[in-house]
Amino acid sequence: MPAISAHLERLFCHHTITVPSLSLSLSNNPVKYPESSLSPIMVPALEVAPQENQDLELDSDMNSNCNGATQERVAVIGSGNWGSVASKLIASNTAKLSSFHDEVRMWVFEETLPSGEKLSEVINRENENVKYLPGVKLGKNVVADPDLVNTVKDATMLVFVTPHQFMEGICKRLIGKVRPDAQAISLIKGMEVKKEGPCMISTLITQLLHINCSVLMGANIANEIAQEKFSEATVGYREDEETALKWVLLFSTPYFLVTPVQDVEGVELCGTLKNVVALAAGFVDGLEMGNNTKAAIMRIGLREMRAFSKLMFPSVKNNTFFESCGVADLITTCLGGRNRKVAEAFAKNNGKRSFDELEAEMLQGQKLQGVSTAREVYEVLSHRGWQELFPLFTTVYEICIGHLSPSAIVEYSEHKPNFALVDGSAQVY
């Protein structure tokens, strides 16, 4: 892994380099580089050219490296459990890679702790998010900042990792405040549903801020990554492979293996829809239905994830579901994620305690994504008349709003819908 990181870093400086064949990951579709017997690769520098933007002030003292190439500056928008872990990963790399400025600025939604202190001040003093990631040092180069605009003003790489229901408001606050040459990546699992249809978070960022946005999803239970246990993730990108490789470089560590895939919608929808399936798995656990039932629910859920994704975005690739963002994320979320955990408690109480009540009691301020995503998915299904085509997604939603009991998760007749009934759709089952 260190050799790969060193090679990737050289890609972003003024150098002519000859590289042996190597692979970025253990993925089905690793990125290959040519044999050393081929012609050298000429790689242009990535130069950040400041442009005019409303209310935007650029730092004229941007650090440079690699014979004049501008260093990338990273800002993380979000400081919850996963946001803090992402900052830790990133900071460990910016501290040692010369193509990045070492400081990682992390936006903190300011809170007052029981001690009366401000959360951002405690993070900066203790180098630890004592509320959302206690006991884990983030890295001395992580700076907590409660000022959203100040956090992003000089950043060339923006990492978004907040609950998805807050993203539209955050982006509207940032209009005209980010560098026009910035690149973004979303670690957010969810979508916005509008009158004109569903809008993925990466699309929302691009539309409101006019910057390119990739995504990072995977089997990523944050506390395990914080403990530096081996994990994988998938970067989904559209056309700019060079930027995708920068994101790979920024996040990759010996214990966190990142693979690029040219399929933003597929990667993002996997990360979004698996939370709905995790609720179903939690209902099964709460009712003590056993491992066979849970495995069946996970299989049906994966099938509906794939079908929904391909109906919404025909460009979605089948292979994406075999990356970390797909089947691996589904498995880990159905075994150990917060959505499964709270859904289990919901089922044990036979739906008599609301998800809002259980979330407040069990998650210490973290947000449950599965219930809101189930509602958003159902809005799409009902608008298009697809409820019968997605019996698991539909049943999960009906249980969440109290129209069905948790035991209904296995009471519907599982079948293979005829997607020829849906205009313009392919056979995706």
Side-chain angles (χ1 to χ4, degrees):
M1 199 69 185
I4 295 174
S5 295
H7 163 65
L8 283 173
E9 190 182 10
R10 286 198 299 273
L11 284 177
F12 309 118
C13 303
H14 283 294
H15 289 302
T16 302
I17 54 175
T18 303
V19 244
S21 177
L22 58 85
S23 173
L24 277 178
S25 76
L26 304 177
S27 161
N28 293 329
N29 56 343
V31 177
K32 293 282 189 178
Y33 292 94
E35 298 290 339
S36 58
S37 59
L38 300 179
S39 300
I41 305 173
M42 294 296 297
V43 184
L46 296 179
E47 296 188 325
V48 180
Q51 302 176 27
E52 292 184 2
N53 202 356
Q54 181 181 0
D55 298 328
L56 179 66
E57 294 182 6
L58 299 179
D59 186 354
S60 61
D61 191 30
M62 294 284 286
N63 286 10
S64 297
N65 199 48
C66 298
N67 298 326
T70 304
Q71 287 183 305
E72 303 287 354
R73 285 182 177 263
V74 183
V76 179
I77 298 91
S79 58
N81 186 237
W82 185 210
S84 297
V85 173
S87 297
K88 176 181 184 292
L89 283 170
I90 292 167
S92 70
N93 283 324
T94 62
K96 61 190 177 186
L97 297 176
S98 60
S99 53
F100 294 91
H101 191 281
D102 61 347
E103 181 183 277
V104 175
R105 194 159 285 269
M106 179 178 73
W107 176 61
V108 175
F109 180 78
E110 192 67 279
E111 301 178 53
T112 301
L113 299 174
S115 65
E117 295 179 285
K118 300 294 186 183
L119 177 59
S120 63
E121 294 174 358
V122 175
I123 292 174
N124 287 329
R125 186 183 70 237
E126 302 295 336
N127 189 224
E128 176 184 331
N129 190 330
V130 295
K131 181 170 183 179
Y132 295 111
L133 194 65
V136 177
K137 298 300 181 183
L138 301 180
K140 294 182 178 180
N141 51 329
V142 174
V143 178
D145 191 337
D147 186 326
L148 177 61
V149 172
N150 189 62
T151 299
V152 306
K153 69 174 184 178
D154 296 325
T156 58
M157 301 182 78
L158 304 175
V159 180
F160 288 91
V161 53
T162 66
H164 76 275
Q165 56 266 40
F166 303 138
M167 271 305 297
E168 185 169 9
I170 288 172
C171 285
K172 286 181 177 179
R173 290 171 61 188
L174 292 178
I175 292 174
K177 307 298 184 181
V178 302
R179 293 174 60 103
D181 56 353
Q183 293 284 337
I185 194 166
S186 170
L187 280 59
I188 300 165
K189 299 174 178 180
M191 60 184 178
E192 294 281 335
V193 176
K194 302 178 180 295
K195 291 181 180 179
E196 57 271 23
C199 177
M200 304 310 298
I201 298 300
S202 63
T203 302
L204 180 74
I205 292 169
T206 295
Q207 289 178 344
L208 292 179
L209 301 182
H210 305 292
I211 58 177
N212 181 56
C213 186
S214 303
V215 297
L216 183 144
M217 307 283 160
N220 304 146
I221 293 178
N223 287 335
E224 295 183 9
I225 300 171
Q227 297 169 21
E228 302 189 0
K229 297 179 179 178
F230 179 75
S231 303
E232 296 179 308
T234 309
V235 165
Y237 70 99
R238 287 193 169 85
E239 297 177 355
D240 189 352
E241 185 179 28
E242 185 174 54
T243 297
L245 294 179
K246 276 198 284 186
W247 290 119
V248 170
L249 176 64
L250 185 63
F251 281 94
S252 294
T253 71
Y255 61 87
F256 194 69
L257 190 64
V258 184
T259 303
V261 173
Q262 192 173 5
D263 184 6
V264 169
E265 287 80 13
V267 173
E268 192 167 9
L269 275 168
C270 281
T272 297
L273 298 173
K274 55 93 182 183
N275 283 330
V276 181
V277 185
L279 294 177
F283 298 150
V284 169
D285 286 343
L287 297 170
E288 299 182 352
M289 291 180 174
N291 292 327
N292 292 341
T293 303
K294 188 171 181 177
I297 290 295
M298 291 166 67
R299 182 196 67 80
I300 296 166
L302 181 61
R303 196 181 71 183
E304 292 196 10
M305 287 169 56
R306 177 174 170 268
F308 184 91
S309 300
K310 292 181 76 68
L311 282 172
M312 297 306 302
F313 300 98
S315 63
V316 167
K317 300 175 182 178
N318 287 326
N319 284 345
T320 299
F321 295 88
F322 296 96
E323 297 289 345
S324 178
C325 63
V327 63
D329 195 8
L330 177 65
I331 291 170
T332 197
T333 305
C334 289
L335 294 180
R338 72 183 69 157
N339 291 280
R340 185 219 64 81
K341 177 182 178 181
V342 177
E344 179 183 25
F346 181 86
K348 284 183 175 179
N349 287 276
N350 199 30
K352 293 179 181 178
R353 299 185 66 192
S354 71
F355 274 103
D356 287 343
E357 181 184 357
L358 292 168
E359 175 190 82
E361 178 183 302
M362 300 175 68
L363 299 184
Q364 289 82 48
Q366 297 180 65
K367 292 297 180 183
L368 195 65
Q369 299 296 303
V371 176
S372 57
T373 301
R375 181 187 66 251
E376 291 156 354
V377 169
Y378 185 81
E379 288 179 21
V380 176
L381 300 182
S382 60
H383 179 72
R384 304 191 181 207
W386 289 353
Q387 294 98 317
E388 292 186 6
L389 303 179
F390 294 89
L392 182 66
F393 287 171
T394 300
T395 302
V396 168
Y397 171 73
E398 297 283 357
I399 292 172
C400 288
I401 63 174
H403 287 182
L404 294 174
S405 70
S407 61
I409 199 66
V410 293
E411 290 175 2
Y412 65 84
S413 58
E414 197 275 321
H415 62 285
K416 294 184 178 180
N418 179 11
F419 273 84
L421 299 175
V422 182
D423 292 339
S425 69
Q427 292 293 327
V428 293
Y429 267 90

